[in-house]
Amino acid sequence: MKYKDLIGKMTLEEKASFMSGKDFWQTQNIERLGIRSMFLSDGPHGIRKQAEAADHLGLNASIPATCFPTAATIANSWSVELGEQIGDYLGKEAVVQKVDVLLGPGINMKRNPLCGRNFEYFSEDPYLAGKMAAGYIRGIQSHGIAACVKHFAVNNQEERRMSIDTIVDERTLREIYLTAFEIAIKEGKTKTVMSSYNQLNGSYTNENIHLMKEILRDEWDFDGVVVTDWGGSNDRVAGLVAGNELEMPTTAGETNEEIIQAIQSGKIKEDVLDECVDRLLELIFATEEVHTNSQQEFDMEEHHKVAQRAAEESIVLLKNEGNILPLNKGVKVAVIGDFAKEPRYQGAGSSIVNPTKLDNVLDGFDQSGIINIGYEPGFERYGKKNTTKMDKACTLAKESDVVLFYMGLDEVTEAEGLDRPSLKIPDNQIQLLNSLYKVNPNIVAILSCGSVVEMPWLDKVKGLVHGYLAGQAGASAILRVLTGEVNPSGKLAETYPLQYEDTPSYHHFPGKEVSVEYRESIYIGYRYYDTTNKDVLFPFGYGLSYTTFEYSDIQVTKDEVTFKLTNTGNVAGMEIAQLYVGCKSDDIFRAKKELKGFAKVFINAGETKTLTIAFDDKTFRYFNVKSNQWEIEEAEYEIILGASSADIRLIDTIVVEGTGAPLPYDKDQLPTYYSGKANDVAVEEFESLIGYKVLVAKWDRSIPLGYNDTIAQCRYAKGGSARLAYYVMVFAHWFLIKIGKRSTANIIMMSVYHMPFRGIARMTGGVLNMPMLDGILMMVNSHFFKGLNHVLKERSNKVKVAKVIKTKAVATKEI
């Protein structure tokens, strides 16, 4: 241990208190030993340090900071260098705000397009997500602070996220859901990792020895700090044993006492606690320079320009019929859509940033060279039909050469804590689009949303520019793309299916009560669509440019692939060349091809550049469940270069020597997986894959409700008062939506409906402790008066204990 002497001076009580927060965002300090508090802040795409009352839902305003494009947006840039630059600027702002640990980036896989937090994650591909995350981490940590990669792991739905049990086979866990974390830790060298809320194959992630010790610590040699997601601790002692140093937020000493009792009773050795304290001390001292740095401010204008460049490089041009874009100088445009005046530029929840400034497209036309003849909102932002607004928009559209239609998803549709109900754009926007098309078919749609949507309306637009959630400078960036000042170079980091029913996890998302089964195994995103030759709307890696590129002269060696890339158009631009690898053997089931490298390069018109993409330790590997390690299958492999996963330009082959591992599967038992058509696998075949019987994914109504059951399950409660409370909550949610208070309705779902009972204690900072929660559960389980008496008794005891502690503290201070 590095800090053995210092730890030797700490009492058991001090060490135990060190393992949970001082308050909502700060760690404990020990003044007598000169150990300071650290400040942790949300911040995947901007610092969210709250100036007033702290919360984890983004309800209270934070100190102004640059709102960069979200991770889902930046992933479309395919630029690790851009990710590192954004991280650099995030780090600068964190230092100014005295933030020690920046809680990001988030790198969970986009298993299903309905996951409510997809806007905060990079991709459906682990290699792309991992590389982008590593860039962010290097940039953030270059300023002496810590990045915190999250949420570790398989946290791919928001519904019941604090208690759902994710059932996934070991190979899929390693290849799909952990690879991005592996890259972030080994290449980014992140100093902290945030454990996720959910269970993984039967145990909560921050207590999961296989995940936290065998993989994270032993295989990946991670020696940093693991912090729980806020309120995400279940069994504090089990978490400590698994190597979870820091529980957040504060529990007002309640879980500290659990640690002390476990050590005093001999349940665990004090050495376990000491190791965790040592790692936390290392983080505190490693981030010390944050507090010695005298910088009081940052250049807001410079940071805003960086946010604009980031957005420009991430915007994706999805359709350009008849070369309607870029717009010619002097063209008359009608600007229509509520999102033009009130831009949708970030997600909702714990990542909400209070921007230093916010660009608006309506302010930018004077310098653009195009003529804006007027603006009409056209539709109500939150879905209500408004015929008057629609008529005014159509009247304006008739007078223009081109209609710029700003459409998308509103702030309450994509939010932390709940999943989206569908992939659809609100009907009132589509009705308006159809009406606009009748009066002026020259429509360019500018789409603002953080995740996949269906587009049955695509034939009604000639141009489609997807800005995703482009941050505070996104409006200016999009306008520069529309006018041709910027040649779009973004490519999709996720697949757009024709309809939601086509997605491989359609039949098993979300898990509703007890568990969610990842029956599709390795076949998520393009791995499924390409393997089964399923038609999609836009493939993974797709994006148009105002120029064209030609690939030629592929050469493959055992270490790399080299090829030439020529800009065959009339304007300079950037191309993203993608390397996919496909194994030609059918002894082990695999996706048809997998992303194993990429390169983004700027090329002038008529210029040719030679590019090389090196192979690495992930190029040919697969995880063998028999040998329980990474292996290479001896086989012939296709080396594939494409402009997208569906637009293949060059192919060559190479024979790769294998590691001689035994074949991991019996083909006869897994026919669906070998076919790749794994969108609706029978439970028996899934059980053959994972090696055990899955539990019934329904709650057992004969068992009383407990700590890890959600408040939503009060519908099954034996106590009539609990059932009544449940139906009142459901009615309140329905009523709030009915009267247009969708944001408030969402809060009910996020912070109450799907919250497990233990979360009430964990998230209230000790206001309601576990003994009081025991009383509430008695009331829920039909012992109302006994439970009420227990709650009042424990509350009285809590108040008495608090008075004694306060008296002792005053006495100690006077001495």
Side-chain angles (χ1 to χ4, degrees):
M1 290 194 303
K2 189 173 181 179
Y3 298 99
K4 187 174 182 180
D5 292 343
L6 182 57
I7 293 170
K9 296 174 184 176
M10 298 169 71
T11 66
L12 176 59
E13 288 74 15
E14 285 173 329
K15 288 188 285 189
S17 72
F18 216 46
M19 296 294 97
S20 62
K22 176 182 179 179
D23 53 31
F24 207 85
W25 294 114
Q26 294 186 90
T27 64
Q28 285 286 355
N29 63 307
I30 302 177
E31 206 171 311
R32 72 178 187 88
L33 295 175
I35 301 172
R36 64 176 180 83
S37 294
M38 288 189 301
F39 196 98
L40 295 84
S41 173
D42 280 316
H45 63 273
I47 315 301
R48 193 179 79 91
K49 186 175 182 180
Q50 290 174 308
E52 298 178 8
D55 74 272
H56 197 54
L57 296 174
L59 303 181
N60 297 321
S62 56
I63 298 168
T66 309
C67 181
F68 292 94
T70 67
T73 312
I74 297 299
N76 294 330
S77 76
W78 293 62
S79 174
V80 175
E81 294 76 15
L82 178 62
E84 190 161 344
Q85 184 183 32
I86 292 170
D88 175 32
Y89 279 76
L90 287 170
K92 288 176 182 176
E93 295 191 27
V95 169
V96 169
Q97 294 196 24
K98 304 300 181 189
V99 169
D100 299 87
V101 180
L102 200 56
L103 302 174
I107 60 173
N108 295 95
M109 288 297 96
K110 297 183 180 184
R111 173 183 179 244
N112 186 285
L114 291 182
C115 175
R117 215 166 174 181
N118 276 352
F119 65 85
E120 213 172 313
Y121 302 139
F122 289 109
S123 179
E124 67 188 31
D125 183 84
Y127 190 87
L128 176 57
K131 292 291 185 180
M132 294 299 298
Y136 269 70
I137 293 162
R138 286 191 295 267
I140 291 168
Q141 295 190 165
S142 68
H143 295 277
I145 69 165
C148 182
V149 70
K150 61 185 185 182
H151 308 86
F152 191 61
V154 290
N155 179 189
N156 308 108
Q157 69 177 61
E158 291 298 284
E159 184 168 323
R160 297 201 74 243
R161 62 180 178 167
M162 294 185 77
S163 54
I164 199 74
D165 188 5
T166 300
I167 310 299
V168 59
D169 68 281
E170 184 71 11
R171 180 182 169 200
T172 299
L173 175 66
R174 300 299 195 108
E175 292 186 11
I176 304 297
Y177 297 100
L178 295 188
T179 291
F181 286 99
E182 180 186 0
I183 294 170
I185 288 162
K186 289 184 175 179
E187 297 181 20
K189 301 191 184 304
T190 186
K191 293 177 182 176
T192 63
V193 170
M194 182 186 290
S195 57
S196 56
Y197 284 126
N198 54 285
Q199 298 179 65
L200 168 60
N201 292 330
S203 67
Y204 282 94
T205 58
N206 81 308
E207 303 168 11
N208 192 303
I209 296 297
H210 179 53
L211 185 67
M212 289 293 172
K213 274 196 173 292
E214 295 173 359
I215 297 176
L216 180 64
R217 301 287 187 187
D218 298 341
E219 286 188 29
W220 298 349
D221 295 322
F222 178 69
D223 59 0
V225 167
V226 174
V227 56
T228 67
D229 204 340
W230 265 236
S233 176
N234 171 51
D235 183 323
R236 187 64 191 99
V237 174
L240 194 74
V241 170
N244 167 212
E245 286 79 20
L246 183 59
E247 176 188 17
M248 291 299 289
T250 181
T251 61
E254 186 172 18
T255 56
N256 307 344
E257 192 59 36
E258 293 174 12
I259 294 170
I260 292 169
Q261 290 176 8
I263 290 171
Q264 290 177 340
S265 67
K267 184 178 179 180
I268 60 171
K269 292 182 179 180
E270 195 165 348
D271 290 351
V272 173
L273 175 60
D274 289 350
E275 286 180 12
C276 290
V277 171
D278 189 67
R279 287 193 287 259
L280 195 51
L281 285 171
E282 171 62 20
L283 181 63
I284 289 171
F285 293 127
T287 57
E288 196 90 62
E289 63 184 90
V290 171
H291 299 273
T292 59
N293 191 304
S294 59
Q295 189 175 350
Q296 299 296 314
E297 58 184 27
F298 60 91
D299 187 332
M300 292 187 182
E301 200 55 45
E302 179 192 351
H303 286 225
H304 183 77
K305 288 177 180 176
V306 172
Q308 180 177 317
R309 288 201 302 273
E312 289 170 357
E313 204 168 323
S314 305
I315 292 164
V316 187
L317 178 61
L318 293 175
K319 185 176 181 180
N320 194 17
E321 181 183 321
N323 291 323
I324 193 170
L325 295 174
L327 298 172
N328 296 320
K329 287 185 183 289
V331 69
K332 294 188 297 183
V333 301
V335 180
I336 292 171
D338 187 69
F339 293 108
K341 188 173 183 180
E342 299 290 338
R344 171 85 203 288
Y345 61 96
Q346 65 174 327
S350 65
S351 66
I352 288 180
V353 178
N354 182 11
T356 56
K357 63 185 290 189
L358 184 59
D359 286 356
N360 189 295
V361 68
L362 298 178
D363 300 329
F365 284 104
D366 290 343
Q367 290 80 37
S368 70
I370 58 178
I371 301 167
N372 176 20
I373 66 167
Y375 160 76
E376 287 293 342
F379 60 83
E380 297 282 353
R381 193 177 190 87
Y382 297 106
K384 188 177 180 181
K385 189 173 181 179
N386 188 318
T387 305
T388 302
K389 284 188 175 182
M390 188 182 298
D391 291 343
K392 286 183 177 180
C394 290
T395 300
L396 180 65
K398 289 178 185 177
E399 307 301 319
S400 68
D401 298 322
V402 175
V403 175
L404 298 182
F405 182 41
Y406 284 76
M407 62 190 301
L409 299 178
D410 59 63
E411 291 79 357
V412 296
T413 298
E414 297 179 284
E416 178 182 354
L418 67 158
D419 299 312
R420 292 160 61 200
S422 77
L423 294 186
K424 299 182 186 304
I425 295 285
D427 285 343
N428 65 335
Q429 294 184 43
I430 307 309
Q431 290 169 8
L432 173 59
L433 176 58
N434 290 331
S435 297
L436 291 171
Y437 181 75
K438 291 176 182 177
V439 299
N440 189 341
N442 294 321
I443 300 172
V444 174
I446 296 92
L447 186 59
S448 297
C449 55
S451 47
V452 169
V453 292
E454 293 174 349
M455 301 183 191
W457 42 264
L458 187 61
D459 62 332
K460 298 296 191 299
V461 302
K462 287 187 177 179
L464 178 57
V465 175
H466 200 340
Y468 267 70
L469 300 178
Q472 66 182 50
S476 296
I478 289 170
L479 189 55
R480 279 167 55 82
V481 166
L482 292 173
T483 59
E485 289 182 76
V486 170
N487 188 351
S489 62
K491 296 196 176 189
L492 295 174
E494 56 191 328
T495 307
Y496 277 54
L498 290 168
Q499 57 186 358
Y500 176 59
E501 290 78 7
D502 293 341
T503 58
S505 56
Y506 167 71
H507 294 285
H508 299 283
F509 180 92
K512 285 290 183 182
E513 293 199 345
V514 176
S515 63
V516 55
E517 296 164 9
Y518 284 31
R519 293 197 196 179
E520 71 281 358
S521 185
I522 62 171
Y523 297 105
I524 76 165
Y526 72 89
R527 285 169 166 79
Y528 167 72
Y529 299 112
D530 288 358
T531 303
T532 58
N533 297 313
K534 188 82 172 175
D535 288 338
V536 298
L537 182 65
F538 296 116
F540 177 79
Y542 175 86
L544 300 175
S545 170
Y546 294 149
T547 189
T548 53
F549 297 95
E550 181 182 276
Y551 293 61
S552 62
D553 296 343
I554 184 171
Q555 296 180 22
V556 178
T557 70
K558 64 182 181 64
D559 298 315
E560 62 192 24
V561 57
T562 301
F563 60 101
K564 290 181 180 178
L565 194 57
T566 303
N567 183 337
T568 53
N570 298 319
V571 295
M574 287 187 278
E575 171 68 334
I576 300 163
Q578 301 154 41
L579 167 65
Y580 297 90
V581 174
C583 181
K584 298 186 77 172
S585 166
D586 61 359
D587 287 340
I588 301 166
F589 71 82
R590 293 176 183 259
K592 185 176 182 179
K593 58 182 178 290
E594 297 179 308
L595 183 74
K596 297 298 182 179
F598 53 91
K600 186 168 190 176
V601 60
F602 175 86
I603 309 179
N604 286 311
E607 183 183 10
T608 297
K609 288 188 175 180
T610 299
L611 302 183
T612 297
I613 301 177
F615 302 151
D616 60 22
D617 62 327
K618 297 167 187 66
T619 304
F620 302 108
R621 74 178 190 178
Y622 75 97
F623 193 84
N624 187 301
V625 292
K626 274 194 177 176
S627 65
N628 195 37
Q629 62 185 20
W630 293 101
E631 305 282 4
I632 295 174
E633 182 182 4
E634 184 163 336
E636 186 178 22
Y637 290 81
E638 286 188 325
I639 305 302
I640 304 162
L641 293 167
S644 77
S645 67
D647 184 5
I648 304 307
R649 303 297 183 88
L650 299 170
I651 300 178
D652 202 347
T653 58
I654 184 174
V655 175
V656 177
E657 185 179 340
T659 51
L663 293 177
Y665 304 117
D666 181 344
K667 258 190 197 182
D668 294 335
Q669 292 184 352
L670 305 171
T672 310
Y673 292 110
Y674 274 86
S675 74
K677 298 175 181 178
N679 62 320
D680 194 15
V681 178
V683 65
E684 294 80 11
E685 188 173 346
F686 182 58
E687 289 173 342
S688 294
L689 179 68
I690 62 176
Y692 59 88
K693 291 277 187 185
V694 295
L695 298 174
V696 176
K698 291 285 184 185
W699 181 77
D700 186 346
R701 301 187 186 197
S702 67
I703 300 173
L705 289 171
Y707 293 145
N708 290 319
D709 293 307
T710 66
I711 294 170
Q713 288 167 310
C714 281
R715 76 185 86 172
Y716 307 134
K718 296 178 180 177
S721 59
R723 292 196 301 276
L724 176 62
Y726 165 77
Y727 287 111
V728 167
M729 179 171 57
V730 169
F731 173 78
H733 180 259
W734 171 84
F735 181 72
L736 287 166
I737 289 177
K738 201 73 176 172
I739 64 173
K741 302 287 186 181
R742 289 177 60 199
S743 185
T744 308
N746 281 354
I747 291 170
I748 291 177
M749 301 301 287
M750 287 189 285
S751 59
V752 183
Y753 193 81
H754 294 306
M755 178 81 73
F757 282 97
R758 64 172 165 79
I760 300 172
R762 296 293 190 238
M763 290 293 280
T764 55
V767 173
L768 191 151
N769 60 20
M770 294 300 281
M772 293 165 70
L773 183 60
D774 289 335
I776 291 174
L777 285 170
M778 289 180 197
M779 297 163 70
V780 166
N781 291 311
S782 78
H783 302 289
F784 183 83
F785 292 107
K786 182 180 178 182
L788 179 61
N789 183 59
H790 187 87
V791 170
L792 296 174
K793 179 182 174 183
E794 291 299 335
R795 184 180 181 280
S796 178
N797 289 340
K798 183 176 176 295
V799 171
K800 288 176 183 176
V801 170
K803 284 182 179 178
V804 170
I805 292 172
K806 186 176 181 180
T807 302
K808 285 183 178 178
V810 170
T812 303
K813 194 171 183 181
E814 289 175 351
I815 291 171

